Amino acid sequence: MLSRLADSLYWLSRFIERSETNARTLSSRLIHMLEESDQNTLNNDWEELLEICASKNEYYALYSRLNSEDVLDYLVRSPENENSLLQLLERSREKAKESRTLIPASIWEMINHLYLEKKEQLDGSLRSNTIQEDLGDILDMSSNFQGIIESSMLRGEAYNFIKIGKWIERAETTARILKVICEKTLVEKNNKDFQEFDYWLHALQLANGYDSFIMEHPLTLNPEEVFTFLIEEERFPRSITYCMNHTLLAVEQLNPGRSPQNTEELFQLLEYTQRGIERTDIAGMSVEELLRFLKGFQDHCDRIHEVFSAAYNLDGYKSRSVGNSQ
């Protein structure tokens, strides 16, 4: 397979996964905000959205204040934000077009149609009480994308490049969500009105893991159980462990005709990351320790992406400029 096609498949998968995450995060927080009247809490919610879906620092470089209209504009359609929903749809469309010979035709048609539709629909003023339908359409598109891939693609190189993009993006996303929640927990722990339960409930909702968690823990919502579930649960397809295991499996199944030494570092890095998680007592960690672990894991994700791109001659390393709130 040509490297440029492999690169398109890999990034197509990452962009689709990222658009789903950002749409779900925005949808969840908008629903939560309907029940909130305190302005300080609302501001914190907007900043949480920026930290998960984009970059708080880059937002403040463009906008002078924090309000719903500006945040929605930045997260939904701003051309200055490469991770705005409209930008992600456009980039997904570009990658789908480049790789049309390797993916089912219905994927290109679906992404192209949705992009053109949302580009027109999102051209007017944005309101938090009317945008849920648009977010739902993006979530449906991502689900349909995954369904088409699983039901109709040959299990070959193209399929595995798509799966690797998905698992790396998903592992990084789960780590980012937990990191943001840990940071908020540490900031608010001395607040007399602090409700730790709400923070970890939000973590499960943002990671799309609430229903699965409740099936295993129907009577409790302890922080230790939540972050153990989202990091170590081998049966949950958005846990960090699950994503790392499946990244390694997909890499093993690739057969790009490369000599073994080209991928040796990648295999070593993936196995080292797996062992690091296995040897860590996640349940026994304090929030401060968990935060350090998550920051270290995010560094590992960056390195995995860099080594993977070099091993398969993809179009270079480009880090995701999100979550850089520090």
Side-chain angles (χ1 to χ4, degrees):
M1 182 187 298
L2 294 175
S3 295
R4 61 178 177 82
L5 294 177
D7 180 83
S8 294
L9 293 167
Y10 172 75
W11 280 109
L12 168 62
S13 184
R14 292 201 67 161
F15 292 150
I16 293 293
E17 187 70 26
R18 196 174 299 179
S19 67
E20 177 187 341
T21 296
N22 289 4
R24 181 186 301 106
T25 301
L26 182 53
S27 177
S28 175
R29 302 313 287 159
L30 289 176
I31 292 172
H32 176 260
M33 289 175 186
L34 292 175
E35 304 172 355
E36 186 58 62
S37 58
D38 181 71
Q39 189 59 47
N40 288 332
T41 301
L42 289 172
N43 287 343
N44 287 336
D45 284 343
W46 286 126
E47 289 199 340
E48 177 186 302
L49 274 172
L50 291 169
E51 290 166 358
I52 293 175
C53 300
S55 167
K56 184 171 69 175
N57 291 341
E58 291 181 9
Y59 171 85
Y60 282 121
L62 294 170
Y63 301 90
S64 61
R65 56 179 182 163
L66 190 70
N67 60 44
S68 60
E69 291 80 9
D70 289 342
V71 174
L72 282 176
D73 181 78
Y74 183 70
L75 293 179
V76 173
R77 65 186 181 190
S78 173
E80 303 297 330
N81 174 17
E82 65 177 17
N83 291 303
S84 70
L85 291 173
L86 199 56
Q87 287 295 306
L88 288 172
L89 284 177
E90 181 175 7
R91 296 162 80 190
S92 299
R93 178 175 178 266
E94 291 172 357
K95 297 304 179 184
K97 185 176 182 179
E98 291 169 0
S99 56
R100 286 178 68 177
T101 59
L102 297 174
I103 60 176
S106 55
I107 287 181
W108 157 251
E109 293 166 1
M110 175 182 65
I111 295 173
N112 183 53
H113 173 77
L114 184 65
Y115 168 71
L116 295 175
E117 178 183 88
K118 294 307 170 188
K119 183 179 180 182
E120 180 178 353
Q121 291 179 354
L122 296 174
D123 189 45
S125 60
L126 299 177
R127 294 289 184 269
S128 59
N129 60 344
T130 61
I131 200 172
Q132 288 289 0
E133 183 176 348
D134 297 308
L135 300 178
D137 289 341
I138 292 173
L139 293 172
D140 288 344
M141 181 272 293
S142 179
S143 296
N144 290 335
F145 174 84
Q146 301 296 343
I148 295 169
I149 294 298
E150 293 302 325
S151 65
S152 62
M153 275 198 75
L154 291 172
R155 271 37 176 182
E157 286 183 339
Y159 174 83
N160 284 305
F161 275 109
I162 287 174
K163 302 304 285 187
I164 290 167
K166 169 185 174 178
W167 298 126
I168 292 177
E169 181 73 24
R170 190 172 284 188
E172 184 189 1
T173 294
T174 298
R176 184 181 310 105
I177 289 169
L178 284 171
K179 175 177 172 287
V180 170
I181 297 299
C182 284
E183 290 172 339
K184 289 191 67 176
T185 299
L186 291 175
V187 169
E188 297 291 334
K189 66 180 181 179
N190 294 324
N191 186 335
K192 64 179 181 179
D193 297 323
F194 172 59
Q195 297 290 333
E196 189 174 22
F197 174 92
D198 291 339
Y199 280 65
W200 295 106
L201 173 62
H202 295 160
L204 287 169
Q205 292 171 336
L206 296 177
N208 202 23
Y210 177 78
D211 291 339
S212 296
F213 179 85
I214 292 300
M215 290 178 186
E216 292 293 307
H217 308 277
L219 301 177
T220 62
L221 193 64
N222 296 324
E224 295 82 3
E225 292 176 336
V226 172
F227 52 70
T228 299
F229 180 82
L230 292 178
I231 293 173
E232 294 186 316
E233 178 53 70
E234 295 182 350
R235 298 168 298 166
F236 178 55
R238 293 183 182 273
S239 78
I240 288 173
T241 293
Y242 188 101
C243 293
M244 286 294 97
N245 290 346
H246 282 71
T247 299
L248 180 58
L249 179 63
V251 171
E252 289 173 343
Q253 292 174 345
L254 275 176
N255 183 26
R258 307 290 183 186
S259 56
Q261 61 265 29
N262 284 13
T263 55
E264 182 178 355
E265 183 182 0
L266 177 60
F267 280 110
Q268 290 177 348
L269 182 58
L270 288 169
E271 291 168 354
Y272 176 79
T273 303
Q274 282 183 315
R275 290 196 300 271
I277 298 172
E278 292 170 358
R279 294 171 180 173
T280 302
D281 180 17
I282 301 296
M285 283 183 166
S286 65
V287 175
E288 291 87 350
E289 291 169 332
L290 179 61
L291 184 57
R292 288 194 294 271
F293 168 83
L294 293 168
K295 289 179 178 178
F297 178 76
Q298 287 182 307
D299 290 339
H300 275 283
C301 284
D302 284 344
R303 182 59 181 160
I304 289 168
H305 167 63
E306 183 177 3
V307 173
F308 176 75
S309 297
Y312 295 101
N313 293 324
L314 305 188
D315 286 347
Y317 170 65
K318 184 179 182 182
S319 62
R320 178 180 180 181
S321 58
V322 301
N324 299 322
S325 57
Q326 298 299 322

